[in-house]
């Protein structure tokens, strides 16, 4: 009963105060950027497919907080256009949210700058998996308003880069549904970084991600170190919230395995003693087009 009330409060806060929080939080966006920005479609210069799993706050008692994500994107036989699809299933206690998105990106080069413009459109479904008959106040309007929701949604993104630095912006989830829409709570992603190639073996990529909503801003300070083509290690500091360590191992030139561990030091640390685990499996097929890499732009 307490668990039902706890997760119901989370759901009501999410849907009636800040729809942006329905967008799952990922740490592996550093290794798989399309999950936060449709402009990255085609960024691998090949058909790229990924599968990720996130177990958040695994020390919390009660139903798990989990996110499953499947994504695939590819250039469309030309250096100017790419497309993809993303399916996400997010479980927050007794609330399950499923998102299905189709994305597309156009790419062009102006002087020394490479620009990718992306858009996505899709469908979201929010469902409750508890029995209202267990609640004494099941007729309370707050509980009634927590019924299932179906809505259309869309998003936009842009990525601009020079050979040694980049900038991106995205608004990945927007809907006009009256129970989900709150223009002041739309979540904006603003990211910038620098690519420092030390030699043929080591490349360092520091970056910052700003997640902005009208009532607050969150900052991720990131650093990735690529060792040859096969190993990537990195760290992330989410200001006043968490520390993250992550790594990716290329098992072959096409297959990569990534892992991220997050330690929260906010108020949730009293409940989530184990932390958050995230796994990413990604395969880039051999097919590619004759074009520069739109992710690193060199």
């Amino acid at each position: 009963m307490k668990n039902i009330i706890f997760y119901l409060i989370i759901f009501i806060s999410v849907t009636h105060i800040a729809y942006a929080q329905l967008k799952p939080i990922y740490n592996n966006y550093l290794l798989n950027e399309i999950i936060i920005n449709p402009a990255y479609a085609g960024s691998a210069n090949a058909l790229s497919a990924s599968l990720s799993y996130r177990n958040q706050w695994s020390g919390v008692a009660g139903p798990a907080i989990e996110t499953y994500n499947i994504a695939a994107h590819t250039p469309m036989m030309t250096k100017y256009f790419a497309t993809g699809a993303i399916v996400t299933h997010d479980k927050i206690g007794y609330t399950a949210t499923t998102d299905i998105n189709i994305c597309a990106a156009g790419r062009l080069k102006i002087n020394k700058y490479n620009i990718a413009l992306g858009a996505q459109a899709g469908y979201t479904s929010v469902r409750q998996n508890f029995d209202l008959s267990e609640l004494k106040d099941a007729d309370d309007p707050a509980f009634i308003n927590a019924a299932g929701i179906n809505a259309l949604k869309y998003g936009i993104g842009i990525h601009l880069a020079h050979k040694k630095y980049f900038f991106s912006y995205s608004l990945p989830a927007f809907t006009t549904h009256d129970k989900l829409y709150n223009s002041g709570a739309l979540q904006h992603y603003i990211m910038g970084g620098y690519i420092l190639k030390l030699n043929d073996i080591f490349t360092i990529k520091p970056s910052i991600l700003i997640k902005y909503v009208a009532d607050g801003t969150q900052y991720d300070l990131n650093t990735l170190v690529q060792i040859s083509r096969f190993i990537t290690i990195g760290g992330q500091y989410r200001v006043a919230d968490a520390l993250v360590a992550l790594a990716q191992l290329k098992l072959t030139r096409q297959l990569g395995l990534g892992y991220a561990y997050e330690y929260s030091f906010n108020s949730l640390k009293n409940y989530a003693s184990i932390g958050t685990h995230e796994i990413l499996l990604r395969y880039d097929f051999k097919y590619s087009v004759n074009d520069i890499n739109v992710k690193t732009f060199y």
Side-chain angles (χ1 to χ4, degrees):
M1 178 66 178
K2 291 182 179 180
N3 288 333
I4 292 177
I5 297 295
F6 174 73
Y7 287 110
L8 185 58
I9 290 172
I10 290 178
F11 172 77
I12 294 172
S13 299
V14 163
T15 56
H16 293 275
I17 298 177
Y19 165 72
Q21 296 305 312
L22 282 177
K23 184 69 176 177
I25 299 172
Y26 298 97
N27 296 315
N28 275 327
Y29 66 82
L30 293 170
L31 304 174
N32 195 30
E33 297 95 333
I34 194 172
I35 60 179
I36 64 169
N37 191 337
Y40 280 96
S43 61
N45 271 347
L47 172 59
S48 178
S50 64
L51 173 65
S52 67
Y53 168 74
R54 176 179 173 88
N55 189 325
Q56 186 170 342
W57 308 335
S58 54
V60 175
I65 302 176
E66 299 174 310
T67 302
Y68 303 83
N69 178 277
I70 300 174
H73 56 100
T74 181
M76 294 296 290
M77 302 298 292
T78 173
K79 63 182 180 180
Y80 299 113
F81 183 74
T83 188
I86 306 169
V87 179
T88 302
H89 183 69
D90 192 39
K91 294 168 56 181
I92 305 177
Y94 295 96
T95 302
T97 303
T98 301
D99 289 323
I100 301 174
N101 288 288
I102 302 297
C103 58
R107 302 181 285 175
L108 65 156
K109 185 172 183 177
I110 301 177
N111 296 325
K112 295 182 179 180
Y113 293 92
N114 296 274
I115 302 175
L117 302 173
Q120 66 184 33
Y123 164 84
T124 186
S125 173
V126 184
R127 290 290 179 270
Q128 301 303 315
N129 297 318
F130 57 79
D131 186 356
L132 287 177
S133 64
E134 298 180 27
L135 303 174
K136 294 181 180 180
D137 299 320
D139 293 330
D140 189 296
F143 299 130
I144 296 173
N145 288 336
I149 295 173
N150 298 290
L152 298 177
K153 55 187 282 188
Y154 57 89
I156 58 173
I158 182 173
H159 187 277
L160 181 148
H162 191 269
K163 182 177 180 180
K164 291 187 177 181
Y165 54 87
F166 63 92
F167 168 84
S168 68
Y169 164 80
S170 65
L171 176 64
F174 175 79
T175 178
T176 56
H177 192 284
D178 57 358
K179 289 185 179 180
L180 295 180
Y181 174 63
N182 181 342
S183 60
L186 292 177
Q187 187 162 297
H188 304 259
Y189 291 85
I190 304 168
M191 188 173 184
Y194 188 81
I195 300 170
L196 178 61
K197 190 172 183 178
L198 300 180
N199 50 46
D200 291 338
I201 298 177
F202 292 97
T203 300
I204 300 176
K205 185 179 178 182
S207 65
I208 180 172
L209 175 68
I210 301 172
K211 287 173 276 189
Y212 168 78
V213 293
D215 58 353
T217 303
Q218 187 176 78
Y219 301 89
D220 288 1
L221 307 178
N222 312 304
T223 299
L224 289 181
V225 179
Q226 183 175 330
I227 305 171
S228 70
R229 293 186 175 184
F230 298 99
I231 300 174
T232 301
I233 59 175
Q236 179 185 104
Y237 172 54
R238 186 169 300 131
V239 176
D241 185 67
L243 285 172
V244 180
L246 59 86
Q248 178 178 251
L249 175 65
K250 294 297 290 292
L251 304 178
T252 69
R253 286 185 178 272
Q254 287 78 42
L255 180 63
L257 177 63
Y259 171 75
Y261 175 80
E262 175 185 316
Y263 173 75
S264 298
F265 48 82
N266 54 30
S267 58
L268 287 171
K269 68 181 181 181
N270 298 324
Y271 306 95
S273 58
I274 299 178
T276 295
H277 305 272
E278 193 169 324
I279 299 173
L280 170 68
L281 187 66
R282 172 174 166 174
Y283 190 88
D284 296 331
F285 290 79
K286 292 182 179 180
Y287 164 77
S288 65
V289 295
N290 184 22
D291 189 20
I292 62 172
N293 189 307
V294 297
K295 181 171 63 176
T296 59
F297 286 88
Y298 67 88

